[in-house]
Structures are given as C-alpha cells and as structure tokens.
Amino acid sequence: MLLPQQQEDVLKAERRFFVQEPTAEDPRKGVLFTNGTGTGKTFTGLGIIKRFEMMGKNRVLIVVPNQQKMADWKSEGERVMVRVRPLKDTQDVGEDVVVTTYANMRENWKLQAEPWDLVVYDESHYLGSNAQGEQTANIAAHEMVTNKPGWRQMKKWIMAEIGPPPPWEDKTATARYENEAEQAWKRI
C-alpha cells in the first residue's frame, strides 16, 4: 500500500499522461518528482508502473545508476505486485517491466529500438550534461529510448528534407530557410 503523498503523486502522473490535453506550451511528455531523499519516490514510480499495467501498457523500462539499484527496484516491486525483471546484458530487452543501468541503456541498441509504453529514470540527474555543459551519451540514449529526436537528429532530418542552410550573411535567404525549416519540423 502506498502512503497518501505517494498516492497523490501517482494520481498526478496518471492525470498528466492520460487526462490532461497536451498544448504547445505543455506537450505532456513526462513528469519529474523531486521529493526529498527517503520519501518513497521508488514506490511512487512503482505505483505509476502498476497503473500503466492495469491499463494494458506493460512495456516499461526502468533505468538506474547501478546493479544495487536494479536489485532494489526488483525487491520493492515485489512488495507492490509489480514484477521487475533485471536485464542480463547489452543484448537483452526482457519482457514487460524491466530494469537496467544507464550504462546498458547507452550500449544496448536493441533496448533503444524497443517501443516502450513508459520509461522511468531513477536518479535522473545522470541524464544531464557533463561539467563542460556538453550533452552526455545518456541524453542521446534517452532520445533513442523515448523515440524523441534531439536537436542534432532533428537538424539532420530538416537538412535531408530542405537541404543545408544558406550563409548566415544572406539575411533574406536565412529567413526563408528558417521558415521552411519550421514547416519541415512540423511535418516530422
């Protein structure tokens, strides 16, 4: 049984994913819980997973920093009747609800190609940029896993659609190109 705050958070996520209408300002792509240490975010995540399972959305990926966290999610899942299967290696995609490390997510191309109903990140700061502010391999893997192309991939698609941009000095051509790029982006 979840605690009242965890139940409220599960309901908040459920509304965001299934009830709230997406808008341009808020496309309803995800939810981040920043509750303090020891407040049961793992159980909140498992509650959300359980709700997805109850709706027939069983293909769930949980991504964690290390093997101990994998074992924790498996063990805690049993307490709320969510069967969490740890992935064995970089060739494994498992079935239904699976848990793996950020390292496996980066290296496992089969995992990246899988159509996930939900992706849950434990310690999501591991996705972020490095000390130099550069994109990490975790972000690139996240974009593949969630089937959400990042700017680099989007730029490649736009260039394939309308060609390379003109020299920036040509303001008229640049404005025309940006308009065409926006239209191409909307078609993607």
Side-chain angles (χ1 to χ4, degrees), residues 57-76:
K57 296 180 177 293
N58 300 319
R59 200 65 175 119
V60 178
L61 173 65
I62 304 166
V63 186
V64 300
N66 56 49
Q67 297 291 326
Q68 181 57 54
K69 286 281 190 176
M70 286 176 62
D72 292 348
W73 276 84
K74 182 179 187 300
S75 158
E76 303 297 3

Side-chain angles (χ1 to χ4, degrees), residues 36-99:
T37 303
T39 57
K41 291 181 297 294
T42 299
F43 282 101
T44 297
L46 287 164
I48 294 165
I49 292 166
K50 187 66 174 175
R51 296 298 293 170
F52 266 70
E53 286 182 326
M54 292 170 70
M55 291 181 224
K57 296 180 177 293
N58 300 319
R59 200 65 175 119
V60 178
L61 173 65
I62 304 166
V63 186
V64 300
N66 56 49
Q67 297 291 326
Q68 181 57 54
K69 286 281 190 176
M70 286 176 62
D72 292 348
W73 276 84
K74 182 179 187 300
S75 158
E76 303 297 3
E78 291 169 3
R79 294 177 57 187
V80 292
M81 296 183 293
V82 173
R83 185 171 179 216
V84 178
R85 297 164 183 88
L87 295 182
K88 298 176 187 89
D89 55 39
T90 58
Q91 299 298 309
D92 190 9
V93 293
E95 295 178 10
D96 298 327
V97 180
V98 299
V99 63

Side-chain angles (χ1 to χ4, degrees), residues 102 122-129 138:
Y102 283 92
D122 190 339
E123 306 290 344
S124 64
H125 58 276
Y126 281 83
L127 287 171
S129 57
N138 287 340

Side-chain angles (χ1 to χ4, degrees), residues 4-5 17 26-27 33 40 53-54 58 62 73 106 112 117 143 145 150-151 154 165 178 186 188:
Q5 179 61 47
F17 288 127
D26 186 6
F33 292 102
E53 286 182 326
M54 292 170 70
N58 300 319
I62 304 166
W73 276 84
R106 285 191 311 267
Q112 295 174 13
D117 293 319
E143 290 169 352
V145 163
W151 174 242
M154 189 69 73
E178 287 175 354
K186 288 177 181 176
I188 295 174

